[in-house]
Amino acid sequence: MKSMLIKNDEEIKKMRKVGKLAAEVLDMIESHIVHNITTEEINQICHNYIIKKQKSIPACLGYNGYPKSICTSVNDVVCHGIPNIKQKLKEGDIINIDVALIHNGYHSDTSKMFILGKPSILSKRLCHVAQESLYLALNLIKPNMPLYEIGQAIEKYVKKQKFSVVKEYCGHGIGKNFHEEPQILHCDNRDPGIILKPGMTFTIEPMINTGSNQVRCMKDGWTIKTKDHGLSAQYEHTILVTDKSCEILTLRKEEKIDQILNINNKNLKYTQ
């Protein structure tokens, strides 16, 4: 049976630190997301900040051959978009920036959506639903709940909003390793094998599409796009299961929610 590693107090301290650093990268880069900036320029700004300012390591760089320090997924790119000097952001674009760090031997992983200028009604609503689906899942987490209830709740909410959940890519355990067991599915999958326990750390990162949930991998071997060319959006947090609920290790300054959630918290607000 697959199982999650339970982190001890010293490991949790390190996870809090690296989670805070990852969140700071997304806070920092926001002011740089402007018209005509290239995704490679965004990558370089983040890389320099991680290496020089934070004295940390970009976990994506070189991971299974990935060539850049962050992922930049624009419009119909679902995930793993590779920064490119020829790709300039333009009015109305939506972009997910995915940041993963290594600090003091431990990993953290987080992402958020940015919107260029005035968005379409559809793209704004998509980003809203993607973030709300993550917040819904965070609010559910508590010890002794079955892991499958996370994906079940996300897919139920997203379908109600007339969008779809990508099933091929998912969240994951995280700690000393970038990806640990088990997979955190964002769809209804009633596998009773995993029960949440205090000390578990993992990511939740639902990828939501405007149309079909079908995806395709591009020739670069990394970039994943929607098969029907519809838009896609994603939000991601690294979390710690606590004695009562969960702690968001990658909480950003602009988020209007508590870092340590209360059970049945009704105050999770969309912040885009």
Side-chain angles (χ1 to χ4, degrees):
M1 184 191 304
K2 293 180 180 179
S3 62
M4 289 186 178
L5 299 175
I6 303 296
K7 307 303 190 293
N8 61 36
D9 289 346
E10 184 60 30
E11 290 176 307
I12 289 170
K13 183 179 179 181
K14 292 177 180 179
M15 291 292 292
R16 286 187 176 123
K17 176 62 176 179
V18 70
K20 183 174 184 292
L21 291 172
E24 286 175 356
V25 178
L26 291 179
D27 286 333
M28 175 278 299
I29 200 61
E30 180 144 19
S31 63
H32 297 278
I33 308 302
V34 296
H35 295 134
N36 292 323
I37 192 170
T38 68
T39 51
E40 172 55 28
E41 288 172 323
I42 295 170
N43 174 77
Q44 198 58 52
I45 292 168
C46 290
H47 176 87
N48 290 340
Y49 187 82
I50 293 165
I51 296 290
K52 297 177 181 179
K53 177 75 173 179
Q54 297 185 323
K55 309 300 181 185
S56 300
I57 300 169
C60 291
L61 185 60
Y63 183 77
N64 290 336
Y66 186 78
K68 299 294 180 178
S69 294
I70 61 170
C71 299
T72 52
S73 301
V74 182
N75 295 334
D76 65 338
V77 178
V78 175
C79 61
H80 305 159
I82 301 175
N84 188 326
I85 194 63
K86 295 181 180 180
Q87 184 179 39
K88 292 184 177 182
L89 298 184
K90 62 184 184 301
E91 175 76 18
D93 280 347
I94 60 172
I95 175 173
N96 176 273
I97 297 179
D98 193 340
V99 173
L101 296 188
I102 308 169
H103 185 84
N104 202 14
Y106 282 77
H107 294 72
S108 191
D109 193 2
T110 186
S111 78
K112 69 164 286 188
M113 299 301 298
F114 298 85
I115 298 176
L116 273 291
K118 186 177 181 180
S120 69
I121 293 174
L122 180 62
S123 62
K124 184 176 181 180
R125 183 166 171 268
L126 174 68
C127 292
H128 171 93
V129 170
Q131 189 175 46
E132 286 292 302
S133 70
L134 171 59
Y135 285 173
L136 173 66
L138 295 175
N139 193 44
L140 288 176
I141 293 172
K142 58 185 177 182
N144 300 317
M145 72 172 278
L147 176 63
Y148 74 79
E149 289 185 6
I150 293 174
Q152 185 181 69
I154 288 172
E155 186 168 38
K156 181 179 179 181
Y157 169 75
V158 171
K159 282 186 173 181
K160 188 175 181 180
Q161 306 306 315
K162 308 301 182 184
F163 292 138
S164 64
V165 178
V166 173
K167 297 184 178 182
E168 287 86 347
Y169 298 89
C170 57
H172 50 90
I174 189 167
K176 277 189 176 181
N177 302 303
F178 194 170
H179 294 87
E180 299 179 349
E181 292 290 355
Q183 296 180 340
I184 313 298
L185 301 181
H186 306 119
C187 56
D188 193 352
N189 178 56
R190 302 192 183 195
D191 178 359
I194 299 294
I195 302 297
L196 298 187
K197 300 295 181 183
M200 292 177 170
T201 53
F202 55 88
T203 72
I204 304 176
E205 46 186 299
M207 298 158 219
I208 311 304
N209 295 349
T210 55
S212 166
N213 64 2
Q214 298 299 304
V215 299
R216 56 200 172 106
C217 184
M218 307 310 289
K219 290 182 180 179
D220 60 26
W222 283 102
T223 304
I224 305 300
K225 290 190 173 185
T226 58
K227 201 165 186 178
D228 62 4
H229 306 287
L231 297 173
S232 189
Q234 176 191 25
Y235 283 83
E236 174 184 12
H237 273 311
T238 297
I239 68 100
L240 163 71
V241 180
T242 66
D243 290 337
K244 293 183 179 180
S245 56
C246 78
E247 178 179 347
I248 305 169
L249 301 179
T250 50
L251 188 72
R252 301 182 301 278
K253 289 181 179 179
E254 43 89 8
E255 290 185 278
K256 308 301 182 185
I257 59 177
D258 295 331
Q259 184 165 24
I260 300 176
L261 297 181
N262 298 315
I263 296 175
N264 297 323
N265 189 334
K266 302 301 182 183
N267 296 316
L268 300 184
K269 299 295 184 181
Y270 170 66
T271 59
Q272 181 67 42

